[in-house]
Amino acid sequence: MDIDVRAQGAVRIVKLKGRLTLGESVDALRKTIEELFQAGDNRLVVDLGEVQMVDSSGIGLLVKLLTTAKQKGGSLKLLNPSKFAVQTLKMIGLLNLFEVFDDQAVAVASFA
């Protein structure tokens, strides 16, 4: 799992590449986002455009991070999730928790 964090104004864009599955990739994302929270960043866009696979532990982590971001006065929004990721979230009834975007500029502007 490659994780690239970029700033766009007060929003942090977290671009993921690889598989978001139990083990190292979920642990690496958790650590990265927790560091952002500690730095005071709570407006997050997670770009899933290059994530081929998300398992239940990856989805569980996204839900947990969304909850934490909201508790800190921000939010976590999804960018470019694969059809598989969208179907998985829909199937388990969690898609409605997230704001989902296919355009990064629109996702970032949604925080204004």
Side-chain angles (χ1 to χ4, degrees):
M1 167 69 60
D2 291 329
I3 302 173
D4 178 44
V5 179
R6 290 172 290 131
Q8 191 163 335
V11 178
R12 297 295 171 264
I13 298 162
V14 182
K15 184 167 180 56
L16 307 179
K17 184 175 184 179
R19 297 165 62 94
L20 184 55
T21 55
L22 182 63
E24 280 185 34
S25 62
V26 164
D27 293 342
L29 179 59
R30 179 184 298 115
K31 183 176 183 285
T32 299
I33 302 284
E34 285 175 353
E35 288 170 359
L36 290 172
F37 287 153
Q38 288 171 359
D41 295 315
N42 60 11
R43 295 172 165 198
L44 307 174
V45 173
V46 177
D47 185 344
L48 298 172
E50 295 184 57
V51 174
Q52 303 89 7
M53 169 71 188
V54 181
D55 71 2
S56 59
S57 60
I59 288 172
L61 177 61
L62 290 173
V63 171
K64 179 178 183 283
L65 296 173
L66 170 66
T67 302
T68 304
K70 286 188 170 187
Q71 288 170 345
K72 294 180 175 293
S75 190
L76 182 147
K77 303 181 184 195
L78 303 181
L79 178 64
N80 294 322
S82 68
K83 282 187 171 149
F84 175 80
V86 170
Q87 288 170 338
T88 303
L89 285 166
K90 196 179 286 186
M91 185 174 67
I92 57 179
L94 296 177
L95 185 60
N96 61 340
L97 292 180
F98 293 95
E99 288 184 68
V100 179
F101 297 88
D102 57 10
D103 182 290
Q104 180 176 306
V106 175
V108 169
S110 73
F111 283 101

